[in-house]
Structure formats: C-alpha cells, structure tokens
C-alpha cells in the first residue's frame, strides 16, 4: 500500500495549500496565551466540525479528535495552539490583531497543519488500520498544556500507543520543507525554575551589626550555586543553572528584611534535575545559616526532558523517506538542546517522536528565529507538515496492527 498511499497523501496535502494558509493566517491574526485561548479553541472546533470530525474538549483548554473505524492501536498527533506575549513587528499582512500577543513560535502553523491532517485522515478513514487521535493543545509555552490534557485523559480511552509532533523552525540555514528526525534519546532538556528567598533582619544602614543582612547571604548563595557547575557536575553532563532575577531593598541606606533571586535549571535527565535541586537547596540553606539568615528555596514549572523513542523515530524516518525521498530529511547525529518542549510530558508516558520542519531559510529572508518579534514562517512548508502527519500515522498503524 505504501507507494500508492504516498502519492495520494502528498497530492491531497499539496491541493490543500490555500486552505492551510487561510487557517494559519486566521490563527495568526488572533494569538492567545497559555490556557486562555477561547477564540482559537472555538475556531479550531468549528473548522473540525466543518470537516466532519467530532471534536471533544479535553482538560481546561484542549481539543481531541478520534478518527478511524477499526479497532487496533492508537497513534497520537499533536499540535500546540498558543502564542507568546510579544508585540509583533514582522510586517506580515496578516499580523497580530491582539496587542502584546504574537504567534512567534509557529504554533499557528502547527494547528493549521493538524487541521489539514484531520481533513485528509477523515477522507481516508476506511484505510486506517487502527485509530488516530488528534491533540490540539493550549498552554505549551506556559508548560501546563500537556499535563492539563493528560489529567483530562488525552492518553486514555482509547489508550494511546505512540505519539508524534512537528515543530516548525525558521531562521536556520535549512531549505524549507526539510524534516529533521531525532536518532532516539534525549532532545530538549528538562527544566525548572527556582526562587530563593533569604530572610534576615532589616534595619539602619549605619548599624549593620545589629541587623542580619539578607543581601550578603544571597550574594554568597549565588556564588555557592555557581560552584555546582564548576566543581560538581560531570564533564560530559549538560547542566545549566542561570540566575535571571535578583531583587532586594528599596533604599541605599536601609538593610532590607528579605532578598530574592530566581533562576532556571536545565539538565538532560530527571535524576540530574533532582540532584541539582537538592544541591541548590543544601547550599542555599547552609550558606544562609552561616550568615545568620534563613533561606527558603522553591521550585516551579518542572518540565521533563523530551525523549525520542528510537523505534518510533526509526519508523518515522523510513515512512518519510517513502513519501518525500531521503533528500527531504536529515537525521542529525546530535539533536540535544537546552530549549524545552511541553510535549516532553507525553514523551515520558508513551513512545514518541518529535520532528522539526524547516519553514523559513535564513538566506531567503526568513532571518529571525522563533520567539523573535520579527519572525516570519514560510507557508510553503505547510503541506509537507500535513502530509508527514497523515502518512506517519497511517503507515505506523499499518505496521503495528
Ligand atoms: Zn516557543
Ligand atoms: Zn513552540
């Protein structure tokens, strides 16, 4: 079936190009943040209904669709739908109509590609050797969308056996349409944020001896946690600890009661993350005590590392070679990176493959990367993303009956 399907799916996706652009541009005009995506959800819901699908609410702000008439395995395709708190300066004709919000990570592209996949899968539902579950997720950038949908049952009823996602990339030297496939293993790092509050005893700047200065304690804590990387981390381990905020006091001649700093930790495993969290806590508490102060350490926003399952990634690579030819894809030797991806919560539960689709070559005017207020994405990549979703799901189900 493979060769016959490949041509059919590719042609169907190419023919859908104007519709994909229309969906994408409508979504781009109406960016929304986090789990607060009412316009986007209603739009996606209505378009799915027009395609003959039966969308369901999942979690606080997600939508799922189940396609396929035969019992069997379940393959999940995921798109995220949320935007970033940025003011757009891209000068696109369809730029953001919501001040201070922008689809700067390409999630509008992702949602359009998955709507396209919904249309083609619906039209070919009889051919599916199992079921495809579509996952439209809000709250990716805020890191709470996937866990919200997992709590809402996205991976159950019917139980999901494997999952795939595509993220577009702009501003890189890749030809538009190139697909990057991981070899398997850890991709994006695990991450979390920390906040350390040092509490001392405030007072007059002329009388430090009767006060306990939390700023002094916090400065030493800052130096102390820098040593975790310098003196304790293994050479081959990726570890980044960054303090991005440091706040204390309101006047030059007053010792404040408290001082605060916040930062982020990134590691390549959950174990390393737990270890780094423990060491930061131990160092902060012990140093604060040495300076007669007290430190409270808080961790928030944990994301596990993004894991590509080797078998699923190998399968995806072989299917993509069938439909687009091996020249349309690349399997980099190392896809590890310090960025984070909320799909990590899915990849921690089921065998998963995260794919990257080049959508804007730096040499062709798409010079800014994602998260830049001037970023533009090349819409000619949309049919390829749609075809990749459809074909990977169909072939995976065929080979895993
Ligand atoms: Zn992003
Ligand atoms: Zn993104």
């Amino acid at each position: 079936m493979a060769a016959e399907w490949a041509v059919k799916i590719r042609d169907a996706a190419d023919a859908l190009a104007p519709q994909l652009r229309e969906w994408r541009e409508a979504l781009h005009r109406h960016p929304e943040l986090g789990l607060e995506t009412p316009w986007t959800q209603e739009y996606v819901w209505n378009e799915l209904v027009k395609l003959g699908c039966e969308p369901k609410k999942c979690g606080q702000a997600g939508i799922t669709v189940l396609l396929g008439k035969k019992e069997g395995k379940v393959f999940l395709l995921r798109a995220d739908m949320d935007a970033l708190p940025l003011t757009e300066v891209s000068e696109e004709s369809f730029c953001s109509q919501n001040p201070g919000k922008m689809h700067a990570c390409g999630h509008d592209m992702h949602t359009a590609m998955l709507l396209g996949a919904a249309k083609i899968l619906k039209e070919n539902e009889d051919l599916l050797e199992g079921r495809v579950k579509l996952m439209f997720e809000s709250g990716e950038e805020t890191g709470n969308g996937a866990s919200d949908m997992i709590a809402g049952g996205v991976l159950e009823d019917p139980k999901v056996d494997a999952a795939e996602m595509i993220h577009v990339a702009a501003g890189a030297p890749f030809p538009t349409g190139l697909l990057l496939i991981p070899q398997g293993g850890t991709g994006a790092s695990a991450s979390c944020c920390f906040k350390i509050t040092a509490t001392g005893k405030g007072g007059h700047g002329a009388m430090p001896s009767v006060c306990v200065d939390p700023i002094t304690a916090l400065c030493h804590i800052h130096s102390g946690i820098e040593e975790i990387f310098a003196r304790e981390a293994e050479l081959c381990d990726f570890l980044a600890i960054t303090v991005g905020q440091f706040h204390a006091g309101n006047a030059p001649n007053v010792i404040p009661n408290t001082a605060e700093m916040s930062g982020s930790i990134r590691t390549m495993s959950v174990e390393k993350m737990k270890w780094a969290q423990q060491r930061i806590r131990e160092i902060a508490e012990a140093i604060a005590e040495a300076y007669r102060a007290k430190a409270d350490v808080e961790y928030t926003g944990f994301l596990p590392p993004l894991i590509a399952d080797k078998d699923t990634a190998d399968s995806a690579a072989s299917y993509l070679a069938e439909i687009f030819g091996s020249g349309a894809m690349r399997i980099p030797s190392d896809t590890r990176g310090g960025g984070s991806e909320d799909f990590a919560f899915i990849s921690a539960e089921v065998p998963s493959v995260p794919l990257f689709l080049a959508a804007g070559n730096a040499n062709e005017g798409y010079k800014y990367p994602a998260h830049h207020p001037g970023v533009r994405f090349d819409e000619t990549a949309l049919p390829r993303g749609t075809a990749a979703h459809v074909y990977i799901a169909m072939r995976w189900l065929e080979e895993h009956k």
Side-chain angles (χ1 to χ4, degrees):
M1 295 295 267
E4 188 188 316
W5 283 0
V7 176
K8 183 174 170 173
I9 301 305
R10 228 173 37 219
D11 288 352
D14 285 343
L16 207 55
Q19 173 70 80
L20 291 168
R21 274 207 309 277
E22 190 186 317
W23 281 327
R24 186 262 165 153
E25 291 174 12
L27 291 159
H28 194 89
R29 284 189 195 95
H30 300 91
E32 296 175 302
L33 305 182
L35 297 176
E36 303 297 319
T37 55
W39 188 94
T40 308
Q41 288 176 58
E42 193 184 337
Y43 181 78
V44 168
W45 183 283
N46 290 341
E47 293 305 304
L48 287 166
V49 170
K50 281 189 217 162
L51 298 175
C53 298
E54 287 173 34
K56 286 204 171 76
K57 294 256 328 161
C58 178
Q60 277 184 59
I63 296 170
T64 60
V65 172
L66 191 64
L67 295 159
K69 296 175 177 169
K70 292 181 199 145
E71 291 291 318
K73 295 251 160 88
V74 178
F75 195 86
L76 180 133
L77 300 171
R78 177 274 214 165
D80 38 17
M81 308 191 282
D82 58 320
L84 284 160
L86 288 177
T87 297
E88 179 160 4
V89 297
S90 74
E91 296 182 354
E92 293 281 26
S93 59
F94 49 86
C95 74
S96 169
Q97 295 176 359
N98 297 347
K101 299 175 188 174
M102 176 190 181
H103 267 294
C105 201
H107 299 185
D108 49 343
M109 301 276 284
H110 304 168
T111 303
M113 294 188 307
L114 198 61
L115 282 171
K119 177 172 164 63
I120 298 173
L121 287 163
K122 185 74 197 165
E123 287 165 359
N124 293 281
E125 214 171 2
D126 293 338
L127 300 177
L128 298 177
E129 299 288 350
R131 262 109 29 108
V132 181
K133 198 182 276 190
L134 309 182
M135 170 179 178
F136 292 91
E137 173 196 334
S138 304
E140 191 286 323
E141 295 289 355
T142 43
N144 53 354
S147 42
D148 174 53
M149 289 187 75
I150 291 171
V154 71
L155 296 178
E156 304 301 325
D157 192 27
K159 196 172 144 5
V160 171
D161 296 290
E164 176 259 60
M165 61 152 275
I166 299 178
H167 205 299
V168 290
F174 301 124
T176 287
L178 185 81
L179 284 148
L180 298 173
I181 308 163
Q183 286 195 336
T186 306
S189 63
S191 69
C192 85
C193 294
F194 63 87
K195 179 169 149 191
I196 303 175
T197 308
T199 306
K201 188 174 155 220
H204 200 299
M207 294 181 284
S209 60
V210 300
C211 303
V212 174
D213 188 348
I215 298 179
T216 302
L218 202 61
C219 288
H220 285 273
I221 292 170
H222 182 271
S223 305
I225 62 178
E226 295 276 293
E227 301 297 339
I228 299 174
F229 180 72
R231 301 283 61 166
E232 297 186 39
E234 305 271 344
L235 269 182
C236 53
D237 267 353
F238 174 81
L239 170 69
I241 300 175
T242 295
V243 172
Q245 290 177 305
F246 201 112
H247 299 295
N250 293 306
N253 57 355
V254 176
I255 293 172
N257 273 319
T258 60
E260 267 178 27
M261 70 180 172
S262 310
S264 63
I265 312 171
R266 293 173 199 264
T267 64
M268 284 296 166
S269 71
V270 176
E271 295 69 44
K272 260 290 170 295
M273 176 61 75
K274 285 187 180 151
W275 169 81
Q277 289 181 339
Q278 188 195 334
R279 289 299 294 137
I280 287 175
R281 187 181 298 281
E282 287 167 356
I283 288 167
E285 289 176 356
I287 291 178
E289 200 187 330
Y291 290 91
R292 298 176 295 140
K294 185 176 161 294
D296 288 298
V297 185
E298 232 183 286
Y299 296 106
T300 52
F302 170 72
L303 275 181
L306 179 64
I307 310 286
D309 174 62
K310 175 135 184 48
D311 286 347
T312 314
D314 288 349
S315 297
S318 69
Y319 308 150
L320 292 173
E322 285 170 13
I323 183 167
F324 303 124
S326 52
M329 51 190 251
R330 203 171 292 167
I331 305 175
S333 57
D334 189 356
T335 45
R336 287 187 304 166
S340 300
E341 169 53 72
D342 174 78
F343 184 72
F345 284 105
I346 302 289
S347 80
E349 301 290 330
V350 295
S352 298
V353 56
L355 304 172
F356 281 87
L357 171 64
N361 185 322
N363 302 323
E364 291 169 5
Y366 296 91
K367 54 188 177 201
Y368 298 114
H371 287 219
H372 190 287
V375 67
R376 295 167 56 240
F377 293 92
D378 187 344
E379 293 181 329
T380 61
L382 292 168
R384 181 150 288 185
T386 289
H389 275 319
V390 172
Y391 194 69
I392 288 171
M394 287 177 75
R395 289 283 288 117
W396 189 91
L397 290 173
E398 189 193 30
E399 285 193 351
H400 296 81
K401 273 191 239 180

